[in-house]
Amino acid sequence: MASEEGAAVDARQQQQSVEWFKYSKRVVLRSIVCREDKGLGLAGERAVVGGWVRSRKEKAGKGVARGPRQGAAPAPAQDVTCGEVAVFRVPILRSIARILMIKDEPVVQRPVAAPAKREPVVAYLRINDGSCIADLQIVVHSSMSLPGQDISIGTSVLVEGVLEKIPSPGRHVVQLKVEKILHVGIVDLKKYPLAETKFSFEFLRAYPHLRPRTSIVASVTRIRNILSYATHKFFQNNGFLFVHMPIITTTDSRVCSKMFHVTTLFSKSDDMEKLMTTDDHERVDLEVVKAAIKDKSKRIEELKRSDSNREALLDAQRDLQKANELALQLDKRQKSTSLKIKEVNFSNDFFSRPAYLSFSTGLHLESYACALSSVYTFGPIFQADDSQSPRNLAEMWMVEVELAFAELEDAINCVEDYLKFLCRSILESCSTDIKFMSKYMNKDCIGCLKSIGSSSFARITYAEALEILKEVKDHTFETKVEQDLSEEHESYLADKIYKRPVIIYEHPKEVKPFYMHVRDDGKTVSSFDIIAPKAGVLVRGSQREERIDMITKRIQELGLPQEQYDWYLDLRRHGTVKHSGFSLVFEKMVMFATGLDDIRDTIAFPRTHGSANT
């Protein structure tokens, strides 16, 4: 009995004490506003809080006891006329007033009246420190602000005060009455891009360094954080080892998108720099010469029509001939220069051979699976794809998994459990953020997460998928359904027909990489793709080909440089074992979870074709 009473006392004490952050001597806002009582049990507690100002409202007059209602306009001071209130509230009247105030008028000497004594102003600020979606209202008296410290939207503040109950609570029940301002990071509202309250995603992409201050990007970031944590938790709890894989590779598999070259030749070679400079200079000259040829041709036509100056016509024709000869010379020289650039001697390069940014580390990860059994990695991958698709990035993050002594069915079961674990983790740890995304982005995202977490995925073969799509009569596909599934076809299966993730397996070997296990029919491979609503292909996986004769044959069939794969074939020569694996594009998982339509909004600093401005 005594122990129960003691536990109750401890619980009450915990309810009535603020939680100080260990490393910055402040109270994280989440520990105040995200409690079950929304912070009411902390009334009377002293706290230091920091954050960025989301909104500001003012009220003039002494002894202000309560703040304005959420969304209400600030009340005017008592000595402000009705006309001034109208000018304050109506933008066009403010503009007219400014124009009228600057007109020239004769100076008239009048008695100077004593300035009216202004009432003190109390500012009601909503601040957020990024720990949660909810804001905390702080109450700041104008007497505390120093000259030049105008606390406007975007300003960062660190303040000390006492938490108190709002007299007429609504969505918020507590506020912090500020007693001391410890720091103000001022903002120039004329230059601050986020001074308004609503923005398009396209606008925010121009300011990736500032956009996490918005509610929606902050929510996406917190959801992404939970997905990252859950990824490591799932694999660690199931006996996998985390292995760091290289992002620079000398293996060009040529089974994926174009790869980025890694080279230092163009930065250290004086000859190459001269070659490039000459090429650029001659290209400009050639363009100038071509423009001159057009002008001279027009001049000749004019002289022919006038038929007045025979000598001028002959001179113009001779000039045109010389310009054409010069253009031919420059064109030949440019082609020669371009040929030399392509025939670069990589023996002088940093790695003494061609190297690339990796599009996938799966081949390297197999080597650790063939020694440590069950491994995974989680890191960036790159593709030099100039597509403007809302599902493509030049730099993405990928979860890759390899399991030794495992066949196709084992890998499918593993990835299905993994995806269910991710969905449950979001619902449990990011409930407020996912509700926010459901309200503003996709009302069905919570239902989709719950469905995946509790039900099985649809499973169909590649051949069955084709037959199902051929039976569709109420939809016209841009690409006709024949022998190959396009991205459009896959999305239709998940979005319209099954309305849940679909596992498509046993693909034709021609549409899959060389390292996938060829089935007994000799036509298909032991592969699978998981297609998710909204996100498209979420996971790709397969049983790897362990037979050295078969994989060597596949390399030869695809015309791949076999010397690059000699190390990879060693895994089949020395202690080969059946093994399987899969990869998940992390940004597409974020798309699926949040309901976002564009992959650029799922990552902190998106890199796409023609865009890397930070």
Side-chain angles (χ1 to χ4, degrees):
M1 187 71 177
S3 61
E4 291 180 0
E5 291 178 355
V9 170
D10 291 341
R12 285 196 298 271
Q13 289 177 344
Q14 186 176 7
Q15 282 289 101
Q16 295 177 353
S17 61
V18 295
E19 181 182 342
W20 292 81
F21 187 56
K22 183 177 180 181
Y23 301 107
S24 65
K25 297 181 178 65
R26 67 182 173 92
V27 176
V28 178
L29 296 190
R30 181 184 64 248
S31 66
I32 299 174
V33 296
C34 291
R35 293 160 48 109
E36 289 186 8
D37 63 358
K38 298 183 180 180
L40 191 59
L42 299 177
E45 289 284 320
R46 178 170 295 277
V48 174
V49 299
W52 288 264
V53 177
R54 288 275 186 86
S55 67
R56 173 191 173 101
K57 301 182 188 303
E58 290 183 356
K59 196 166 186 179
K62 293 182 178 179
V64 179
R66 54 185 287 185
R69 298 185 310 276
Q70 181 71 14
Q78 293 178 355
D79 59 343
V80 179
T81 66
C82 293
E84 288 171 328
V85 172
V87 168
F88 173 77
R89 291 183 175 175
V90 184
I92 191 169
L93 294 181
R94 290 202 301 269
S95 302
I96 294 172
R98 283 196 295 269
I99 294 171
L100 294 177
M101 286 167 61
I102 61 173
K103 66 180 182 179
D104 294 329
E105 292 182 350
V107 178
V108 179
Q109 297 292 334
R110 294 188 177 92
V112 179
K117 186 177 180 180
R118 293 182 59 85
E119 294 284 354
V121 173
V122 176
Y124 295 85
L125 311 175
R126 298 282 186 192
I127 67 169
N128 192 285
D129 65 357
S131 62
C132 61
I133 198 166
D135 302 329
L136 175 68
Q137 178 169 281
I138 64 174
V139 185
V140 184
H141 198 280
S142 59
S143 61
M144 296 182 187
S145 298
L146 297 174
Q149 287 189 342
D150 183 25
I151 305 178
S152 58
I153 292 175
T155 301
S156 65
V157 294
L158 184 68
V159 296
E160 182 179 350
V162 176
L163 291 164
E164 62 180 16
K165 179 182 178 182
I166 296 177
S168 299
R171 186 157 58 96
H172 300 272
V173 299
V174 293
Q175 62 188 12
L176 184 83
K177 187 175 182 181
V178 176
E179 296 180 351
K180 187 185 298 183
I181 297 178
L182 304 176
H183 169 79
V184 174
I186 60 173
V187 162
D188 184 350
L189 272 181
K190 294 179 180 178
K191 299 179 180 179
Y192 185 53
L194 307 184
E196 301 296 329
T197 56
K198 292 184 178 180
F199 317 93
S200 67
F201 281 109
E202 190 66 36
F203 175 83
L204 290 175
R205 288 178 204 129
Y207 303 95
H209 54 298
L210 296 176
R211 68 177 185 169
R213 299 186 188 184
T214 62
S215 296
I216 198 160
V217 176
S219 283
V220 172
T221 304
R222 286 188 289 268
I223 291 169
R224 184 181 174 112
N225 168 66
I226 289 298
L227 286 171
S228 300
Y229 175 74
T231 291
H232 288 289
K233 187 176 181 180
F234 174 82
F235 291 114
Q236 292 293 324
N237 288 350
N238 285 282
F240 287 77
L241 294 178
F242 177 59
V243 185
H244 292 98
M245 288 286 108
I247 61 173
I248 297 176
T249 178
T250 58
T251 303
D252 177 13
S253 62
R254 306 184 191 217
V255 294
C256 58
S257 299
K258 297 177 182 176
M259 301 175 75
F260 286 103
H261 281 267
V262 177
T263 179
T264 59
L265 286 176
F266 300 107
S267 60
K268 72 178 184 180
S269 170
D270 293 336
D271 292 338
M272 187 61 71
E273 288 176 2
K274 289 177 183 179
L275 187 61
M276 292 298 292
T277 304
T278 303
D279 184 40
D280 291 341
H281 177 67
E282 288 180 351
R283 183 177 292 108
V284 174
D285 285 348
L286 180 57
E287 291 172 358
V288 171
V289 172
K290 286 182 176 179
I293 289 173
K294 288 183 179 180
D295 291 339
K296 291 180 186 297
S297 298
K298 289 180 182 179
R299 175 62 177 160
I300 289 172
E301 291 299 321
E302 291 173 359
L303 290 172
K304 284 181 178 179
R305 284 195 297 269
S306 64
D307 198 24
S308 58
N309 192 335
R310 182 67 178 171
E311 188 174 338
L313 176 60
L314 291 173
D315 288 340
Q317 288 174 333
R318 281 193 290 269
D319 287 344
L320 178 61
Q321 184 179 353
K322 290 179 181 178
N324 282 323
E325 291 173 356
L326 179 59
L328 286 171
Q329 292 176 4
L330 290 173
D331 188 51
K332 288 180 180 179
R333 206 176 294 176
Q334 270 193 20
K335 289 179 180 178
S336 175
T337 302
S338 299
L339 183 63
K340 289 178 183 176
I341 292 173
K342 291 178 181 178
E343 295 176 353
V344 173
N345 182 4
F346 283 99
S347 63
N348 297 321
D349 204 355
F350 188 88
F351 295 108
S352 300
R353 60 190 302 179
Y356 313 89
L357 291 180
S358 180
F359 179 79
S360 170
T361 62
L363 300 186
H364 293 83
L365 193 62
E366 280 186 52
S367 63
Y368 273 74
C370 291
L372 304 176
S373 295
S374 303
V375 293
Y376 76 102
T377 192
F378 184 13
I381 54 99
F382 307 86
Q383 59 174 349
D385 191 345
D386 58 5
S387 169
Q388 296 298 323
S389 168
R391 294 180 179 178
N392 281 340
L393 287 170
E395 178 184 11
M396 298 178 288
W397 283 66
M398 187 177 284
V399 178
E400 296 184 88
V401 180
E402 293 292 332
L403 304 95
F405 310 102
E407 299 186 27
L408 183 69
E409 187 71 17
D410 301 312
I412 292 177
N413 292 337
C414 178
V415 72
E416 193 168 350
D417 287 347
Y418 167 51
L419 291 177
K420 288 181 178 181
F421 185 81
L422 291 182
C423 293
R424 289 195 295 267
S425 297
I426 296 171
L427 292 169
E428 293 170 4
S429 303
C430 275
S431 59
T432 305
D433 287 303
I434 206 66
K435 287 176 183 176
F436 178 80
M437 297 304 296
S438 176
K439 181 178 180 180
Y440 290 101
M441 288 307 305
N442 180 7
K443 64 180 180 180
D444 298 324
C445 64
I446 293 179
C448 288
L449 291 170
K450 288 181 177 178
S451 175
I452 290 176
S454 60
S455 61
S456 60
F457 297 179
R459 297 192 186 193
I460 55 175
T461 65
Y462 190 89
E464 289 170 342
L466 286 172
E467 292 304 315
I468 292 170
L469 290 167
K470 287 176 182 178
E471 295 299 320
V472 173
K473 304 299 182 183
D474 58 349
H475 180 82
T476 302
F477 295 104
E478 293 182 8
T479 306
K480 188 177 179 181
V481 181
E482 293 179 342
Q483 297 302 316
D484 295 331
L485 289 178
S486 68
E487 183 178 293
E488 177 193 14
H489 302 147
E490 293 170 334
S491 296
Y492 190 85
L493 286 167
D495 295 342
K496 303 298 181 182
I497 296 180
Y498 290 97
K499 298 181 180 179
R500 57 182 171 136
V502 179
I503 299 176
I504 301 175
Y505 60 99
E506 294 181 5
H507 295 73
K509 69 177 184 179
E510 290 78 16
V511 301
K512 285 297 181 179
F514 70 94
Y515 50 78
M516 295 190 176
H517 181 89
V518 178
R519 300 178 70 246
D520 293 341
D521 61 12
K523 299 178 180 179
T524 59
V525 291
S526 298
S527 62
F528 70 93
D529 291 347
I530 298 182
I531 320 299
K534 296 279 285 185
V537 179
L538 195 61
V539 177
R540 296 189 190 276
S542 71
Q543 181 176 329
R544 313 314 191 190
E545 182 58 79
E546 80 280 4
R547 298 164 293 184
I548 190 169
D549 56 337
M550 186 63 73
I551 198 169
T552 302
K553 181 181 177 182
R554 292 283 288 137
I555 289 174
Q556 293 171 348
E557 287 176 352
L558 295 171
L560 298 175
Q562 188 163 337
E563 65 277 4
Q564 289 188 13
Y565 298 96
D566 196 51
W567 67 271
Y568 186 66
L569 295 176
D570 269 354
L571 302 178
R572 279 74 184 167
R573 296 187 185 105
H574 310 307
T576 185
V577 61
K578 286 185 177 181
H579 58 289
S580 301
F582 60 86
S583 60
L584 174 142
V585 177
F586 196 68
E587 283 70 29
K588 289 190 176 181
M589 184 63 208
V590 178
M591 282 182 74
F592 171 72
T594 59
L596 289 168
D597 294 319
D598 198 307
I599 199 169
R600 291 175 293 179
D601 303 317
T602 66
I603 193 168
F605 292 90
R607 273 70 171 102
T608 57
H609 182 250
S611 178
N613 57 354
T614 50

